[in-house]
Amino acid sequence: GAMCTWGTTSLLIGEAPPASCGGRFVAPGAPLHATDLNGMAMQDVCIVKPGPYYVFLIGDWGGVVHGLPDALANPDVKPVPADHRSKKFPHHERKFVAGVDDRAQFLVAEQMEDRAAKNEPDYILNAGDNFYWSGILAQCGGAPFQHLGTGQWRKVFEEVYDGPALKGKQWLGVLGNHDYGGFKFTAGWDQTIGYTWGTDVPTSTHRWMTPAQYWKVKVWYPDFSVDYFFVDTNAYNAFSVDVVSEHNICSAAHNVVSASCGPQGPIHLDDCPGWFARLWEAQIGWLERHLSQSKAEWQVIVTHFPPEYGTKAWMYLSQTYGIDLIVSGHKHLQEVWGPDKDNNFLAPTAWVVSGGGGGITSDGVPTEDGNDDQYGFIELELSKELITVSAISHGGKVRSTTHVNQRPPLLGEPIAWPFHFTSTRTTTTTLTATTSTVTKTSTFTETHTSTATETKTLTETRTLTTTTITSTTITSTTITETSTTKTATRTATSTETMTWTATSTSTSTETMTKTRTVTTTSTHTHSFVFEATDDADWRRSADPAQAVGGKAPALGSHAHVPAASWGKPVSSPWGEMPTRTSTSSTTTSSTVTSVTVTTTSTSTTTRSTTTVTSTTTVTTTVTTRTSTATVSTTQTTTSVRSTMMTTTPPPPTTSKLSTVDKGLGDEFSPFRK
């Protein structure tokens, strides 16, 4: 072994850190495209201080800022969790908890700060979904190092995790499905990678570290080391373009036909599913290569989707190469699956979900005091023999403590994860027998009106005689007034409205079947070559007792070989030299079994509405007026006489205008032959 001395700490280790190993993570030069550094190995980092050693984990943490960019000038505008528990999402609908659901990101950040003041983390692992709902609000395809100032970095990241205990702590991370756009792939995901080089951004504190979609780094501690593998698993939300889902990055329903991220890809909508599938396939080979060569005590995977997605792949990789811990997010809650937990299908590999960072409302109902597993973060305490996983809630409660031991790699026969693996996905869309019938009918009533009116006013005569004899004077006045008025009015009205009926029938019948089949075939043939070595470090061996003469198979060989074969190339019974063959084919067929379109329109022409009115009025007025005669004599007599006479007219006559009615009705009747 090699002797390495850091300060006052001396230890015997199997390999020494490079001379350039520093205390901070340093990215290489900025790439031209966000995909250029995929698979890169970042320069090793050395933590030289004495323990204990802590690391924090958080996912799904970046809330929504309403009113950007104007909100940048308002310090009172804060990010709020994306509301995933409303009636818009029936499968996640639940009650709203005021004071928690509306400020979950800040509650978790406050608990991270409090915990960091007690157990200072060396760095923070970020499981993705950094900005809800749709990542950085920019179009992908630009140079990642050219920062676009949307204001989200400042409001959602820099001003939230800025307490004195967290200040300067670097965030090492991956992309989540919402960083690509959620239900599209054209959000500024390359900007999320590019912020790694945001040194010219005034608000940047230079702690963001996501240099590629997938990458690795080794972290050295005085008596152990950790190999971190940052993996993009968003292929598990990249379905065929015709799959309509809020969780399909490649959906034609939300991506425009011309959607593109330029040369880095996806270059167009139809390329999207294959682009993510190729990304995942490349990472499987990359993981196999580097996990098989790992000599670190701990192998830790950091990704967005939990291993419930891609179960067979993670079972194969964990068992074959001895993955110790997988940390993830995506599910909006906190879960710890320890080596001894029931139903842990990866046991003894442990895996953790920390999707309760507060950027989106939790799957379940939180409590006000934080005595729940809905919002929170994870604390990892690292040592040579043990990783202690503590789940911390938004109320500062330690919800669980789990111990993780090193998992040895596979020794002996490989597991049955298919080395020749064919995956076929067929999507069939059938539209059948769609019939639409519209009938409109309007009916108007036929009306005949016939009116005859005759009015007579005859003579009324009033006679008033007054005789006054006073002393020797007699005055006699006679006034006679006769008024005769005769009025005859004849009105004939005929109104006819026809019945109009219009019937329109439209029938459309279509039967169409569209089938899209995607077949992916992967053939894996493995062999390992073992060589003799004097390496006495048995950290990765499951059975140190098999050592002969202090010798062991080279670390990374992951299998035992008889001592007689040491120092000689030996082929594994799995096959010859390592090869990988991948075949992907896509078949799209569209069959139209029948298309029938029938349109029927029936209408009846209407005649105009006719109204005839005939009015006859006869008025006769006779007025007779007789006035004063006066005679004067000498006589003292007073006499008053008053007479009123009314002459009664004969009864009125009414004529029926049947001739007019009949004529109008007969002439305009719609039923007249």
Side-chain angles (χ1 to χ4, degrees):
M3 184 70 68
C4 178
T5 302
W6 293 349
T8 59
T9 305
S10 299
L11 59 148
L12 185 68
I13 59 174
E15 59 177 344
S20 59
C21 186
R24 286 186 66 82
F25 299 89
V26 180
L32 179 61
H33 304 110
T35 56
D36 289 350
L37 296 179
N38 281 353
M40 64 158 287
M42 188 176 287
Q43 178 179 305
D44 292 6
V45 170
C46 291
I47 307 296
V48 299
K49 68 178 183 179
Y53 306 104
Y54 297 100
V55 176
F56 288 175
L57 163 68
I58 187 174
D60 302 73
W61 49 269
V64 179
V65 180
H66 297 291
L68 288 173
D70 296 340
L72 287 176
N74 187 349
D76 295 329
V77 176
K78 306 288 185 182
V80 295
D83 192 356
H84 197 228
R85 41 102 262 151
S86 68
K87 292 183 179 180
K88 295 180 181 179
F89 307 97
H91 298 297
H92 299 276
E93 184 181 355
R94 63 166 178 80
K95 73 174 185 178
F96 180 81
V97 181
V100 179
D101 283 327
D102 50 352
R103 57 186 310 268
Q105 183 181 357
F106 285 91
L107 293 177
V108 175
E110 290 166 5
Q111 294 305 325
M112 290 176 67
E113 174 67 21
D114 288 347
R115 191 77 174 183
K118 304 170 187 174
N119 301 335
E120 181 187 1
D122 297 313
Y123 44 89
I124 296 168
L125 302 177
N126 169 26
D129 272 4
N130 310 300
F131 299 97
Y132 281 95
W133 284 98
S134 300
I136 292 295
L137 302 176
Q139 169 69 37
C140 63
F145 53 85
Q146 294 178 345
H147 176 70
L148 301 177
T150 66
Q152 291 165 280
W153 288 104
R154 175 184 142 195
K155 284 283 188 179
V156 181
F157 177 61
E158 301 288 7
E159 293 182 353
V160 177
Y161 308 97
D162 62 345
L166 293 176
K167 193 177 294 293
K169 302 302 180 185
Q170 291 180 283
W171 287 51
L172 319 179
V174 295
L175 302 179
N177 54 303
H178 284 275
D179 296 313
Y180 284 98
F183 52 35
K184 62 181 181 179
F185 65 84
T186 55
W189 57 269
D190 44 8
Q191 286 282 305
T192 305
I193 291 174
Y195 199 67
T196 301
W197 296 274
T199 54
D200 60 340
V201 181
T203 58
S204 173
T205 53
H206 316 305
R207 48 183 171 150
W208 187 262
M209 197 60 57
T210 305
Q213 290 173 293
Y214 64 98
W215 56 289
K216 66 182 289 286
V217 67
K218 180 187 280 300
V219 180
W220 296 85
Y221 292 88
D223 61 343
F224 67 96
S225 60
V226 182
D227 274 339
Y228 287 107
F229 299 88
F230 296 84
V231 179
D232 190 303
T233 44
N234 290 288
Y236 291 103
N237 257 190
F239 311 120
S240 175
V241 298
D242 50 9
V243 175
V244 179
S245 169
E246 296 297 315
H247 286 87
N248 181 10
I249 298 174
C250 301
S251 171
H254 300 102
N255 287 286
V256 298
V257 176
S258 60
S260 174
C261 289
Q264 67 190 2
I267 58 175
H268 53 72
L269 178 58
D270 288 335
D271 177 49
C272 180
W275 187 83
F276 279 99
R278 293 189 298 273
L279 177 65
W280 178 233
E281 175 69 15
Q283 291 175 97
I284 293 292
W286 175 77
L287 284 168
E288 287 187 290
R289 182 168 61 256
H290 291 287
L291 284 170
S292 68
Q293 297 170 359
S294 175
K295 298 181 180 180
E297 279 73 17
W298 300 101
Q299 287 74 37
V300 178
I301 304 291
V302 182
T303 190
H304 182 63
F305 284 81
E308 296 161 302
Y309 297 81
T311 302
K312 289 184 178 180
W314 291 119
M315 289 179 67
Y316 163 70
L317 292 169
S318 297
Q319 186 169 340
T320 304
Y321 302 110
I323 296 173
D324 301 300
L325 177 63
I326 300 174
V327 298
S328 64
H330 189 66
K331 296 164 65 177
H332 309 140
L333 44 70
Q334 303 291 104
E335 290 181 342
V336 179
W337 294 83
D340 302 321
K341 187 171 183 177
D342 293 341
N343 301 322
N344 178 4
F345 62 92
L346 290 182
T349 295
W351 55 283
V352 173
V353 177
S354 186
I360 188 170
T361 53
S362 58
D363 290 344
V365 180
T367 60
E368 293 183 4
D369 63 355
N371 199 21
D372 59 76
D373 297 311
Q374 298 307 314
Y375 299 115
F377 69 100
I378 299 293
E379 177 192 83
L380 306 177
E381 182 180 352
L382 308 180
S383 68
K384 181 177 181 179
E385 304 295 339
L386 200 66
I387 294 179
T388 301
V389 181
S390 298
I392 316 297
S393 79
H394 60 94
K397 305 288 193 302
V398 179
R399 294 288 298 162
S400 67
T401 301
T402 304
H403 299 296
V404 179
N405 301 102
Q406 294 181 34
R407 173 176 183 166
L410 172 72
L411 299 176
E413 293 299 318
I415 66 170
W417 187 69
F419 286 45
H420 179 78
F421 177 71
T422 300
S423 175
T424 301
R425 182 170 61 195
T426 301
T427 302
T428 302
T429 303
T430 304
L431 178 64
T432 59
T434 300
T435 302
S436 176
T437 302
V438 179
T439 302
K440 293 182 178 180
T441 303
S442 300
T443 303
F444 296 88
T445 304
E446 178 181 353
T447 303
H448 294 273
T449 302
S450 182
T451 303
T453 303
E454 183 173 349
T455 303
K456 291 184 178 181
T457 303
L458 300 181
T459 303
E460 180 183 273
T461 300
R462 293 182 180 183
T463 300
L464 178 62
T465 301
T466 303
T467 301
T468 304
I469 300 175
T470 305
S471 300
T472 59
T473 300
I474 299 175
T475 300
S476 178
T477 301
T478 300
I479 298 175
T480 301
E481 181 175 342
T482 301
S483 177
T484 302
T485 301
K486 181 179 180 181
T487 301
T489 303
R490 300 179 66 199
T491 302
T493 302
S494 177
T495 302
E496 179 176 352
T497 304
M498 304 296 296
T499 298
W500 180 88
T501 302
T503 302
S504 176
T505 302
S506 176
T507 303
S508 175
T509 302
E510 180 176 357
T511 302
M512 178 178 291
T513 301
K514 182 178 180 181
T515 303
R516 178 184 178 91
T517 303
V518 179
T519 303
T520 302
T521 303
S522 298
T523 302
H524 302 258
T525 305
H526 296 260
S527 68
F528 294 94
V529 178
F530 308 113
E531 298 178 356
T533 177
D534 290 330
D535 192 343
D537 188 348
W538 280 87
R539 293 175 306 217
R540 300 292 294 162
S541 173
D543 189 5
Q546 295 192 29
V548 178
K551 297 182 178 181
L555 295 178
S557 63
H558 298 334
H560 287 296
V561 179
S565 300
W566 289 1
K568 302 177 182 179
V570 179
S571 295
S572 162
W574 301 358
E576 298 302 324
M577 296 303 293
T579 61
R580 174 184 299 278
T581 303
S582 297
T583 303
S584 178
S585 63
T586 302
T587 303
T588 303
S589 63
S590 179
T591 304
V592 180
T593 57
S594 68
V595 177
T596 303
V597 179
T598 303
T599 302
T600 303
S601 180
T602 303
S603 63
T604 302
T605 306
T606 184
R607 303 180 71 125
S608 308
T609 300
T610 303
T611 302
V612 177
T613 302
S614 176
T615 303
T616 302
T617 303
V618 178
T619 302
T620 301
T621 302
V622 178
T623 303
T624 301
R625 185 181 184 90
T626 302
S627 59
T628 310
T630 304
V631 178
S632 298
T633 60
T634 302
Q635 186 176 349
T636 304
T637 303
T638 299
S639 175
V640 178
R641 182 182 179 188
S642 181
T643 302
M644 177 176 291
M645 182 183 64
T646 300
T647 303
T648 303
T653 60
T654 302
S655 61
K656 183 177 182 182
L657 304 181
S658 58
T659 303
V660 176
D661 178 66
K662 180 179 179 181
L664 291 173
D666 181 58
E667 179 183 356
F668 295 101
S669 173
F671 308 106
R672 180 169 173 258
K673 301 294 185 179

